[in-house]
Amino acid sequence: ASDVAEEVSNLEMLHGGADLRATLALVETLLEEAVRSHPRLTSRRVLLFTDLGRSTWGDTASREISGKLKEISSSSSVSLIELGSRETGNLAITSLLPSEPIATTSQPFTIDAELQNFSPDDVSNRLLQLKVDGNIVAEQSLSIEANSKVSASFTTSIAAPGEHLIEVHLADDALAIDNTRSLSIRVRSSVSVLLVGSRAASTRSLAIALAPELLTSSDVLITEILESTLAEQTLAEYDC
C-alpha cells in the first residue's frame, strides 16, 4: 500500500489532453500481466483518476470505448476518482508584446498584454502584475466581461543595459498555466543608426532630426557614411 501511495504522490499534473483509448489499452495490458503473474489473485480493481474533462470522456459514446469499458468492468472492479475542480472560470493572458521595437536605458518603454475571459461570467478586480527579472514593479486591477477580451499596458524603465526577463502574471485561477506570459527584452544603453548618403553631409539634417541632442550627448549614436563605402561596413553592428 505504501508503494502505491508513493507512486500516486509522485504523479505530476499535466495540462495537456488525455488519450482515453491509449489509457484503456494500457489498463487491459496491465490486467493481462496481473493474471499471468498472479493467477491466484481473483479480485482486481482499476482506479481511474481523472478531471472528467469533456475532451477526454466525450469518446465514451463511441462503440470502441464503451466496449472496452464493459470488457474491463466484466473482470475487474472499476472506480472513477474525480480530481477536477468545479470552478469553470478561466482567464488567460493570450498575448504579450513590447509596444516599441527598441528599448533603451534612458527612456521608459511600454509592454502590452491581451487577456481573455473564457468563462460565461464577468470577472472583476483581478490582479495583474508586471515583473522585471522576477521582481514586481507594477500592478493593476482588471475587470473583464464574460467571453470577451481586454488589453492592458504597463510602462516601465530599466537602468541596466542587457537582456532582461519581462513577465506579466494574472492572479491564479483553476487553470494556472495560462496566467503568466514572459518575454526577453534587450535594453540598450544607446541605439546605433547608420545613415548612408550620396555625398558628404547629405544626411546631416536627418541625423539631427533623429537625435536633436547630437551636438551634446544622445542615446542615439549616428554614423554617417557615403554610399561608396557601404560594402565596407559591418551592418550587424547597427540597430537600424
Side-chain angles (χ1 to χ4, degrees), residues 14 56 67 86 95 174 178 191 196 198-199 214:
L14 303 176
T56 299
R86 292 297 181 181
S95 174
D178 57 12
V191 179
V196 183
S198 58
R199 61 184 185 277
L214 197 58

Side-chain angles (χ1 to χ4, degrees), residues 3-89:
D3 293 340
V4 174
E6 183 178 357
E7 285 290 333
V8 172
S9 64
N10 289 334
L11 291 175
E12 180 181 356
M13 183 179 70
L14 303 176
H15 292 286
D19 188 335
L20 186 57
R21 285 180 172 82
T23 299
L24 295 180
L26 178 59
V27 168
E28 287 182 317
T29 300
L30 293 175
L31 289 173
E32 291 171 359
E33 291 179 357
V35 171
R36 289 194 300 268
S37 302
H38 309 284
R40 297 178 62 184
L41 297 179
T42 58
S43 177
R44 289 173 291 276
R45 186 180 183 190
V46 176
L47 300 177
L48 297 174
F49 297 88
T50 175
D51 62 358
L52 292 177
R54 184 184 302 172
S55 60
T56 299
W57 290 93
D59 287 342
T60 54
S62 70
R63 180 175 300 178
E64 177 189 359
I65 297 299
S66 60
K68 283 186 177 295
L69 286 170
K70 289 179 181 178
E71 185 177 345
I72 293 172
S73 301
S74 65
S75 61
S76 307
S77 170
V78 179
S79 300
L80 286 178
I81 300 177
E82 184 182 0
L83 302 178
S85 171
R86 292 297 181 181
E87 182 184 349
T88 59

Side-chain angles (χ1 to χ4, degrees), residues 38-237:
H38 309 284
R40 297 178 62 184
L41 297 179
T42 58
S43 177
R44 289 173 291 276
R45 186 180 183 190
V46 176
L47 300 177
L48 297 174
F49 297 88
T50 175
D51 62 358
L52 292 177
R54 184 184 302 172
S55 60
T56 299
W57 290 93
D59 287 342
T60 54
S62 70
R63 180 175 300 178
E64 177 189 359
I65 297 299
S66 60
K68 283 186 177 295
L69 286 170
K70 289 179 181 178
E71 185 177 345
I72 293 172
S73 301
S74 65
S75 61
S76 307
S77 170
V78 179
S79 300
L80 286 178
I81 300 177
E82 184 182 0
L83 302 178
S85 171
R86 292 297 181 181
E87 182 184 349
T88 59
N90 178 42
L91 264 62
I93 303 173
T94 57
S95 174
L96 182 66
L97 294 169
S99 61
E100 298 88 9
I102 297 176
T104 64
T105 56
S106 62
Q107 297 289 333
F109 59 91
T110 301
I111 299 295
D112 298 322
E114 186 175 89
L115 301 92
Q116 184 165 352
N117 181 1
F118 290 95
S119 73
D121 301 313
D122 295 348
V123 174
S124 59
N125 300 321
R126 183 64 62 87
L127 182 65
L128 187 69
Q129 297 176 325
L130 173 68
K131 297 181 180 180
V132 177
D133 297 328
N135 300 310
I136 300 173
V137 297
E139 295 180 336
Q140 58 180 279
S141 183
L142 293 177
S143 295
I144 311 178
E145 295 181 354
N147 300 309
S148 64
K149 297 180 179 180
V150 69
S151 297
S153 296
F154 288 100
T155 299
T156 188
S157 58
I158 298 178
E163 293 289 335
H164 294 272
L165 177 64
I166 305 295
E167 296 175 90
V168 172
H169 177 71
L170 187 65
D172 284 343
D173 53 20
L175 187 61
I177 194 171
D178 57 12
N179 291 340
T180 299
R181 275 193 177 251
S182 61
L183 58 86
S184 177
I185 189 168
R186 180 187 174 194
V187 179
R188 299 163 169 82
S189 56
S190 60
V191 179
S192 298
V193 179
L194 178 64
L195 299 181
V196 183
S198 58
R199 61 184 185 277
S202 62
T203 56
R204 174 62 15 174
S205 297
L206 178 57
I208 294 176
L210 290 173
E213 311 91 342
L214 197 58
L215 300 179
T216 55
S217 63
S218 175
D219 58 358
V220 180
L221 302 181
I222 304 292
T223 300
E224 299 176 74
I225 66 169
L226 295 174
E227 289 179 355
S228 58
T229 63
L230 180 59
E232 303 170 8
Q233 302 296 316
T234 303
L235 298 182
E237 296 177 354

